[in-house]
Every structure is written in C-alpha cells, then in structure tokens.
Amino acid sequence: MATRPSNAVSAPSRRARANALRALAMDAVQQANSGHPGMPMGMADIAEVLWNDFLCHNPANPRWPDRDRFVLSNGHGSMLLYGLLHLSGYPLEMEELRRFRQFGARTAGHPEYDLDIGVETTTGPLGQGITNAVGMALAEQTLAAEFNRPGFPVVDHYTYVFLGDGCLMEGISHEACSLAGTLGLGKLICLYDDNDISIDGDVSGWFGDDTPGRFAAYGWHVVPDVDGHDPDAVRLALEAARADARPSLICCKTVIGWGSPNKQGTAATHGAPLGAEEIAAVRNAIGWTSPPFDIPAAISEAWNATAAGAASEAEWQELVAGYSRAHPELAEAFQRRLSGQLPVGWSDFADQALAGIAAAPVKEATRKASLRALNALAPGLPDLIGGSADLTGSNLTLHDGSQAITAKQPAGNYIFYGVREFGMAAINNGIGLHGGFIPYGGTFLTFSDYSRNALRMAALIGAQNISVFTHDSIGLGEDGPTHQPVEHVASLQLIPNMRVWRPCDSFETIVAWRDAIERRDGPTSLVLTRQGLPPQTRSPEQCADVRRGGYVLAGSGLPDLIIIASGSEVELAMGAAQALEAQGHAVRVVSMPSRDLFLQQPEDYQEAVLPATVTRRIAVEAGSTHLWHRFVGPSGRIIGLDRFGESAPASELFEHFGFTPQQVAALALELLSAD
C-alpha cells in the first residue's frame, strides 16, 4: 500500500485551511452570480480532513492508476471540488476558479469528467456519482483479486464519496448501495452531508428516512451522528471506516453555509450567491481577511500535496518494479490493462472470430448471435466484464468463460445485477472510468428507459459502456405493449455520442460487438431480436462495409428504388426486392444497422449508398418513424410503428401492423407508378 499523507497538522490550523475552501466557494459563486455556496461551506471541514489526512493521490499525475478516487456525488457543490484541486496542486489555475460557470472554463457548474485536472467523473444528476463510485470500488476489488499477489498489493486504493440528501432520495442510490453491501465493497467510503436542507427548504417534511438503519440493512458499516465541523470526530470516523471490511457510510451532521451569520442553516445558501453584504459578514465571522481569490502563502503551502503525492506514486512504482521481477507475465498483462490498450494480436484474433461465424451462417435471433460473438471474442479479451439486470437467460450475456463476482469470490467477470437497470448502467460507467475493464450490461430494450440518464452520462463523459438490449420490437410478442419497445431505438439515437447498432443477422451482430469493444470514446447500444433472422449473403467488400453502419446489401447499378432497413426488417426488404425484381424493377436494398455511424462516413460514401438522384425510397423498421425522414426525403415513404403494440404472437403482430414483404412491395409499386 502506498504511503498515505501524514495525519500531523501544522500551522495554519485546520479551520484556516477549511476556510480557504469556504472563501473560494462563496467568492466564485458571487462573481458568477450563479451557483451553490452552501454545500462547500458546510462540508469544508470534512474535506480538509479527508484530503489532508487520508486521500492518497498525486496532483502532478492525476492518472496514476493506484490513486484513491474521490467522487463529489452532490455535484452542485462543485466549487468545493475545484477549490480542493487548485489548493492541492492540480493543474487548475486560479484563473479557472475566477471563471467559474463561464463559457469555455474547466470549472463548469457541475463537475465534468476531466482527469487531467483530477475530476474523476461527471456529476450533477443526483445519485449517479455514488453509483459511479460503486463501479469504481467494484473495479478496484475485482482487479486486486485478479492481479495482487502476496507481498505485492499493486491494486490497493480507496474510493471516497461526498453525497447529500438528494443523492439518497434518488432511487438509484438504493440500487447501487444495496449491491455494494451484497458484494462487500470494503474500500468504498461515503461521507453523507446531513444538513437537513434541500432546495425546497427543511427536508423533514419529505425525507424522514432512517438513513443509518437503511445502510445497516444493506450490510454497510455505519458511523452515525458525526459532527461534521469537528475534525477529530471526522478523522476517527474515517479511521474506523478504513478498518472495516464493509462499505462505510459516515453520517456527518453539518450546517449548510457554515460561517454565514444570517443565512447558514437555511435554503438561502443552497443555490444562490450570498450577496456582497453577507460575504463581508462571513469574512468577519470566520476571520478571513484576504480579498477574493487570494490565498495566503502559508495556507497554500499547507494544502499543497504534490510532494507527498510524488512520494506515494514513487513507492508504488517501486512495488510494481518488484512485481514485474517476481511475476513478469502477470505484470505485463497488468500494465496492458492499465494502459487501456487491447491485447497484442487482438485485430487478428477478432478477424478469425469474425471469419468463423461468417463461415457458419445460421438462422438465429441476434441475441443468440450476440452470445456466439461473446463466446468467440471473450477468450481473447480478459478485460471484458459484464452482467445482466436479472435477465441473464433472456439477454444471453453469460458466455462460456463467465465467472460470477461475489463477496467471497471477487476475481470474476460476471455481475448478477438483479433488477437494477439504472444502477447497472451507472455502475458500468464507474467501472469503465476506473480503468482495467470493458464493461457491458444486458436488459430488455424497453427497460432502456430506466437506464437512459446513465447512458446519457456515458455519452457525455465519453465512457465505454456496452449495453445489450434484447427483445427489440413487437417481435417480443405475447408479453404485450408494456414490454414491446416502439420509440426506444430512436430515443437512444437522439443521445449525442451514443452509437446504436441494430444488426440483421449473426454477421452484423459480431461486427457490432467488435466495434463496441474497439470504440473507446463513448457508449454503444446493441439492439437485438428475440426472433430468428436468416443469414444474408455478402461479398468481402460488403462484409467490410458493415463497419460503416450502412451499406448496399443487394442490387447493382443505379436503382429505380431504394429500400432501407435495419434489424429484422432487412429480411422483409430482401423479400420485397426479390418480388419487385421479378417484375422487372431495379431495386437496391440498403442494410443500415447503425444510422449514426453511417452519418459519420464521408459524404461521397453516403452518396454512393444513397444516391441523391434516386428519390423513390422506403425505410422499414418496426419502431418509431421519426428519424427516418432524413434518409427517405420528401418523396419517400416509411413503414414503421408510431403507436403501441398488442399482446399476441410475434408473427401475428408483424402481419397485423404491415411488416411483410408483400406490404413493402405494394408500397414500392405505388412509388414506382407515381409521376
């Protein structure tokens, strides 16, 4: 274990150090005329103890793999984090604090993932920070179980979280913290800002939970009733948490806006500047004589953690050097995993897996093809870690090499998430941000609604997070409209930086999986069928073009009409094209498994696939029509579904709603006969 900073406190006093955080917070919010000064002022004493006595980090290298993680889940108090990073020596200059909440500043209103300055994850939507932290702690525990050896704890760090009432009221905190207790994530330590205030005022009217009892029921170690303004009490609580093998919640009673003579303890400090007069009163009350954004040299020096951080990392590097001598093959794999690089020879391995599936085409549901892809790719990718939200047997996410992660056996690669779709997505974000793993999670497509905000955050952060969404349409059948997704593919495609694949057969499915694995700058949604789909025949050139998101599957030369389809509807398009060609019409079928990826291709490629001169176009997809208009143009038509489904066998539903080759061909003939 790397050396933690000394607990010794020298002049200036702890309170003076904490007051530096308070001053920066109230001055930055005042200058921006926007923000939340109350939480930073209330949690400053807790932050001072954690960052100066316990947090092991290196401001000169924010990417040091064995650093402790710090997550500000109550992200509205972002100035607390920015003050901590600046004072500790991270490359976040005072000018950035002066520009708090301004265009182009790195000090956004809520913390945005920026590891170069020490921001571990984007927080703001309450509850997701703590859930990301559960993922980070899970990644630490699993990576340690896989790589640590006697005498060589090369993975040995904590995940610390600040959270507030809002995080605990959000249901996702239940999902995540329940699982954290079950899995025994003992290096997860949360400090709860129990200040009794939210935006609407005193929370007693709407939040009367027994929070310590709730977390004790999860199997957590709980330290109740800690005075958050007593550094010794906070230090003792942290020591007790670090000594316990369970995840810990430290309940810190604080006063929001501490130090504000006229506003502390009220909602007036929560989300608005204090005002010039009150700030002057705060300065007088806490004895802070420096002007705005001016930190006395003695306090700056006391906060600076660069020397201690460099020493801690150097000690770890020495440990890793010994590890490399004692366990060279393991150390090589460890360093590769930390780097985020795919295994040596990955491309050739993936090519062979792809070729193997292409050489054995079968009619199958794409969810089954997805499992075949996992079974083919997972042996060459120990980084892969995943699970399902209580639908393992339906999502088919448990590949042959899967080993369940439990509290007693943390060295696995499969997480039984239980019925926790939102939690699963946000935990996977944390796993991906921690490093060392490529996370995936499975559920029905219709339940992507539960996951959506975490998926949006993955896209915003640029975190790799692979979602396996099965039962993708009315093809789900008898479970009925509650489980039949209609608007969900379009909804996912509306998220910037979300890549959505809806493959039409086993070959497109494994291409989609490979793309999701190799994509390191954002999340991917794999949208898969329950019903069997026939394999399509492709030339080598067409096989290569699948990676472009859309390509010509059938038809040569300039066509009279283009049919565009995705997923299960490609089969319908092919059937219609064959019928039309038998009548002498030149028809092109375009398979578009990933609309967003196709739109990223060069314009000349898009034009080659969808020539502007061919205006007779039909798009076919068993879902919302709204995003297809740009592809078919004003003269085109769309066969889709802009209403909810019905409860019936899939074959009857497709017939009822007009998803048949005959319906596609009939609409095509209408277009072909029009002037």
Side-chain angles (χ1 to χ4, degrees):
M1 180 184 296
T3 302
R4 262 59 186 180
S6 170
N7 285 351
V9 178
S10 58
S13 69
R14 284 194 182 278
R15 180 54 53 80
R17 297 183 190 190
N19 285 344
L21 294 170
R22 293 185 171 99
L24 287 172
M26 67 181 184
D27 289 338
V29 171
Q30 183 68 24
Q31 178 152 309
N33 196 30
S34 174
H36 300 74
M39 186 282 268
M41 296 173 72
M43 293 197 79
D45 294 308
I46 304 168
E48 189 279 324
V49 174
L50 175 63
W51 279 63
N52 285 317
D53 285 16
F54 294 95
L55 195 73
C56 188
H57 61 126
N58 184 4
N61 182 14
R63 296 177 183 272
W64 171 33
D66 205 42
R67 68 190 180 278
D68 288 341
R69 271 58 169 179
F70 175 75
V71 176
L72 189 79
S73 189
N74 43 355
H76 54 273
S78 55
M79 265 309 304
L80 178 64
L81 178 58
Y82 301 142
L84 287 163
L85 294 172
H86 170 76
L87 291 170
S88 296
Y90 284 83
L92 185 66
E93 302 303 322
M94 184 65 83
E95 183 58 28
E96 292 289 347
L97 275 62
R98 291 177 181 272
R99 298 176 61 234
F100 177 55
R101 287 183 166 233
Q102 304 309 301
F103 182 77
R106 300 177 87 171
T107 48
H110 293 82
E112 295 183 13
Y113 174 64
D114 189 347
L115 202 51
D116 289 333
I117 60 170
V119 181
E120 297 282 357
T121 184
T122 300
T123 56
L126 293 174
Q128 289 204 56
I130 170 58
T131 310
N132 289 172
V134 170
M136 293 175 184
L138 175 57
E140 190 277 342
Q141 181 168 284
T142 303
L143 203 66
E146 183 177 353
F147 285 103
N148 286 357
R149 293 296 182 269
F152 296 102
V154 292
V155 181
D156 186 12
H157 53 266
Y158 288 84
T159 301
Y160 295 101
V161 185
F162 279 8
L163 52 83
D165 291 318
C167 294
L168 296 179
M169 283 187 259
E170 289 287 359
I172 190 174
S173 70
H174 167 77
E175 297 183 28
C177 295
S178 169
L179 185 62
T182 301
L183 295 180
L185 303 182
K187 295 221 177 139
L188 174 65
I189 299 177
C190 302
L191 295 110
Y192 165 36
D193 181 27
D194 185 8
N195 61 32
D196 297 321
I197 296 293
S198 69
I199 292 175
D200 283 350
D202 188 330
V203 301
S204 60
W206 52 87
F207 185 55
D209 297 14
D210 174 8
T211 297
R214 168 186 165 187
F215 277 78
Y218 293 151
W220 285 50
H221 164 244
V222 179
V223 186
D225 300 322
V226 174
D227 182 349
H229 301 296
D230 180 347
D232 289 335
V234 173
R235 179 178 55 80
L236 289 172
L238 281 164
E239 289 175 349
R242 286 163 57 94
D244 201 286
R246 297 166 293 175
S248 293
L249 179 73
I250 301 172
C251 301
C252 300
K253 292 299 297 183
T254 62
V255 176
I256 191 171
W258 188 95
S260 173
N262 303 301
K263 295 185 177 182
Q264 69 178 19
T266 72
T269 69
H270 187 286
L274 296 179
E277 289 186 12
E278 188 65 14
I279 286 177
V282 173
R283 278 183 154 76
N284 183 61
I286 68 175
W288 188 264
T289 59
S290 298
F293 303 104
D294 182 55
I295 305 298
I299 292 179
S300 291
E301 183 179 350
W303 265 106
N304 194 292
T306 53
S312 294
E313 183 175 356
E315 183 180 346
W316 180 78
Q317 293 287 4
E318 185 177 346
L319 179 70
V320 171
Y323 180 69
S324 298
R325 291 189 293 270
H327 307 282
E329 293 184 4
L330 204 59
E332 183 179 357
F334 178 61
Q335 295 285 14
R336 197 272 302 168
R337 293 273 290 276
L338 294 182
S339 74
Q341 298 298 311
L342 291 168
V344 174
W346 162 258
S347 183
D348 290 341
F349 175 84
D351 285 344
Q352 292 174 10
L354 195 67
I357 290 181
V362 295
K363 180 176 181 177
E364 63 183 348
T366 51
R367 63 171 176 155
K368 292 184 178 179
S370 172
L371 180 57
R372 281 214 289 159
L374 273 171
N375 280 326
L377 296 172
L381 194 65
D383 320 47
L384 206 58
I385 186 171
S388 174
D390 205 48
L391 289 168
T392 292
S394 295
N395 300 148
L396 302 181
T397 46
L398 189 73
H399 60 80
D400 291 344
S402 296
Q403 180 180 350
I405 294 172
T406 67
K408 293 182 178 180
Q409 178 51 264
N413 59 5
Y414 195 82
I415 306 160
F416 287 96
Y417 274 107
V419 188
R420 300 183 178 100
E421 295 90 355
F422 192 6
M424 173 178 67
I427 287 170
N428 279 345
N429 285 347
I431 292 173
L433 290 171
H434 177 277
F437 294 101
I438 297 173
Y440 69 92
T443 188
F444 286 176
L445 177 59
T446 192
F447 301 140
S448 64
D449 284 339
Y450 287 149
S451 310
R452 181 178 173 81
N453 199 262
L455 299 178
R456 180 180 184 271
M457 296 301 286
L460 178 65
I461 294 169
Q464 186 175 28
N465 186 345
I466 303 171
S467 295
V468 180
F469 291 130
T470 67
H471 298 63
D472 73 336
S473 69
I474 55 172
L476 180 145
E478 293 85 346
D479 276 343
T482 60
H483 283 51
Q484 292 167 4
V486 173
E487 75 279 18
H488 297 75
V489 172
S491 177
L492 290 168
Q493 288 171 331
L494 286 172
I495 301 174
N497 198 37
M498 170 63 73
R499 185 169 296 172
V500 181
W501 283 89
R502 187 169 183 254
C504 76
D505 64 2
S506 58
F507 184 81
E508 285 190 357
T509 302
I510 194 171
V511 170
W513 256 110
R514 181 176 181 178
D515 181 76
I517 288 168
E518 294 178 356
R519 184 188 186 210
R520 311 313 287 267
D521 60 354
T524 300
S525 293
L526 306 177
V527 178
L528 308 171
T529 67
R530 177 194 186 193
Q531 70 273 25
L533 304 181
Q536 301 295 334
T537 302
R538 299 175 184 82
S539 68
E541 292 77 15
Q542 289 172 314
C543 289
D545 284 343
V546 173
R547 286 293 295 267
R548 292 175 174 262
Y551 63 101
V552 178
L553 179 61
S556 59
L558 192 65
D560 301 323
L561 177 138
I562 300 173
I563 305 174
I564 315 164
S566 77
S568 53
E569 287 68 68
V570 170
E571 176 185 5
L572 310 182
M574 291 293 287
Q578 291 169 8
L580 293 165
E581 288 171 351
Q583 300 178 46
H585 301 289
V587 178
R588 172 178 293 184
V589 175
V590 171
S591 177
M592 195 168 290
S594 180
R595 281 184 287 200
D596 51 289
L597 185 54
F598 176 75
L599 291 172
Q600 295 173 23
Q601 302 307 307
E603 289 186 7
D604 58 347
Y605 178 78
Q606 294 185 45
E607 170 65 21
V609 174
L610 298 174
T613 55
V614 183
T615 58
R616 293 183 174 91
R617 302 181 184 184
I618 298 173
V620 191
E621 187 172 67
S624 171
T625 63
H626 295 293
L627 297 186
W628 281 111
H629 292 281
R630 71 182 300 172
F631 295 98
V632 301
S635 302
R637 302 286 289 276
I638 304 168
I639 299 176
L641 197 64
D642 290 321
R643 54 150 290 182
F644 295 116
E646 300 283 351
S647 181
S651 58
E652 294 181 23
L653 291 173
F654 277 104
E655 179 76 26
H656 174 75
F657 288 112
F659 292 100
T660 65
Q662 294 78 14
Q663 175 68 21
V664 178
L667 186 58
L669 289 172
E670 286 183 25
L671 286 176
L672 290 167
S673 63
D675 293 334

